Each structure stands twice: as structure tokens, then as C-alpha cells.
Amino acid sequence: MKNPGLRYLLAMLFLFIGSQPTTWAYQPYRAAGEVVLTEKAFRHIMERHWPDSTAAGAGKFQYGITEDSLRALINQAVQNGHSRINTNGRPGVIYEYDFHRQIGTNIDGQPATRLRVVVNKRNQVVTAFPF
Amino acid sequence: MKLDFRLAEPTTDTESWSNADEEDFRYRVALGDLILEIGSKNFSTHWGWVPLIDLAASLRHIAKKLQHSGRTETFEFTESESWLRFSRQGDQVIITASYSPGEGQVEYSRFVDAVKKLSKQLRDELLQRNSALSENPAFQRLLPEEE
């Protein structure tokens, strides 16, 4: 290879490739933007997980939660949380994030600091609850 | 082993079932409770929000995965951190739950039969309430007539 310019370019390319991580963490549906909280999903969450919901055996958000603050919690969990493929053939991805502060109560009525969010393939929230 | 379901009554949303998609069936419609008793152990739920089609489809998925000894599969409830765990040990399935103490044990073949029976009964019950479900592809896929 006699062309020094081309040799330099190839060397830079190899250096760039070599500097990249050898493995890539699988981050399914980890969009750069925010996930979508549809009206349907919001109603679903309110019916089961709102502070005044009577649904038994389901985590509840703290009093004072609003649609906007729920949206903020969800986006923070999706952007910073651990993700895994949904279980037992259910479509979508599960995100879990520990806020290290109380965001609600778990099924035993104890303080909950973590949030689980299920997001579908269209980047829409399916459900979200504290635990 | 008693494996059964209880539909939450009244079921006011039956009309919407015919247009429901997989996500609806997995999370939002045909809700109720799991009835699961093994000997003196009771792993039944009393929450009223368990999506029953998802429950049946997931249990069939788990039964298939437990074909080989040594495997463990977990059923995660959709709206809480609660779970049921199924471990295949030899010809037995050991069942534990996060929300109820102790463990139950059942022969794998009996477990498979119970899951099939639950699926069939649920399918029949739901079709009785809305016959248009038979035209719904997601329903047919999640709760097929037979395997």
C-alpha cells in the first residue's frame, strides 16, 4: 500500500474499531426519547395503582401523584432502569428502577422505592406500578 | 391438585372482548382470580384483577418449558411483584409463591393435565359469554381449541 493517505485512514479506522466495546449490552426498545403514556394505559394504572384504588394485591403510588409526575417517574425508570424481555411469552419489555426514595407502597402496604414499567413494541406503556 | 379460575363479576366489558388484541388479553380483559390448591397449601389469589387468558397461556408456556427435569420457570403477575415458581424435579413439579408460605408438589403429568383442563374450561366459559371471540385471532392463538 503506497498511498500514505489511505494507510492513515485505515489505521484510524482500525483504532476506532479497536476502541469500541467488544460486547454490546442488549437494551431492547431503549429509545432515546420518552415512552408514550396513552389514555388507555393511564386509566389502567389509575384503576389498579392510584393511591385511592381499591384493587387488592397491587402496589400503590403515593398520595399527590399526578399524570405528569407519573410520566416523569416512568421515563426516569425507562431511561435509567434495568431492562429485560417480558416473561412467559408476553410481548414487550420490563423496566425496573430503584429511586432510593419512597414512591408508593407495595402489596403489603410497606414503603416501595422501585417502579416496574411494561412497555410494548410501539414504545407505549402497558402498565406501571411501585413495588 | 385443584387448578381453576374465578371470573370477576360482573363482567361488564364482554362486548369489547371481540375486538381485543393480545395486549388486552394479557393485561386488561377477562379478569379474575387463580384458584390453586395443592394438598393443604393454598396459592389462590383474591385480587380480582388477574388476566385469566394470560394466566392460562402462561401456564401452558410454563408446562411446555418444564418438560425436562431441572428446569425452573416463574409466573410473574402482571400488576405486582408477586410470583409463582414452578421447579421440575424428576417427575414432580414443586410450586412456591411469593405471597403464600410453603410449597406444593404435584406430578408433572397431573400438572400438564390440570393446565389443559383450566385452558379448556376458561375457553368454554369465555365463548359462552361472547361467542364472537371465536373470530378473534389473538384469542385463538392464546387459548387454542386444543393442542
Side-chain angles (χ1 to χ4, degrees), chain B residues 94-108:
Chain B
I94 314 296
I95 302 173
T96 51
S98 64
Y99 52 91
S100 184
E103 64 174 43
Q105 191 167 321
V106 62
E107 263 181 48
Y108 174 68

Side-chain angles (χ1 to χ4, degrees), chain B residues 36-141:
Chain B
L36 176 56
E37 296 167 12
I38 305 166
S40 61
K41 304 295 173 198
N42 192 341
F43 301 119
S44 304
T45 65
H46 304 279
W47 307 324
W49 52 253
V50 178
L52 296 172
I53 296 174
D54 169 75
L55 174 73
S58 297
L59 289 179
R60 281 205 339 275
H61 183 87
I62 286 168
K64 205 173 282 181
K65 293 263 185 173
L66 291 180
Q67 276 175 347
H68 306 291
S69 183
R71 297 228 27 175
T72 295
E73 294 293 323
T74 303
F75 173 80
E76 291 184 324
F77 287 91
T78 55
E79 304 298 330
S80 79
E81 69 272 32
S82 301
W83 49 257
L84 275 167
R85 195 156 287 152
F86 303 86
S87 296
R88 177 86 190 264
Q89 291 177 18
D91 65 347
Q92 300 289 307
V93 178
I94 314 296
I95 302 173
T96 51
S98 64
Y99 52 91
S100 184
E103 64 174 43
Q105 191 167 321
V106 62
E107 263 181 48
Y108 174 68
S109 58
R110 285 191 61 207
F111 174 67
V112 172
D113 289 345
V115 170
K116 279 183 184 168
K117 191 175 160 205
L118 168 87
S119 296
K120 185 184 180 325
Q121 284 177 340
L122 178 62
R123 183 185 160 86
D124 292 347
E125 173 80 36
L126 297 179
L127 281 170
Q128 209 168 44
R129 292 179 186 234
N130 184 341
S131 58
L133 272 174
S134 61
E135 306 297 320
N136 184 308
F139 177 80
Q140 293 292 356
R141 194 170 55 252

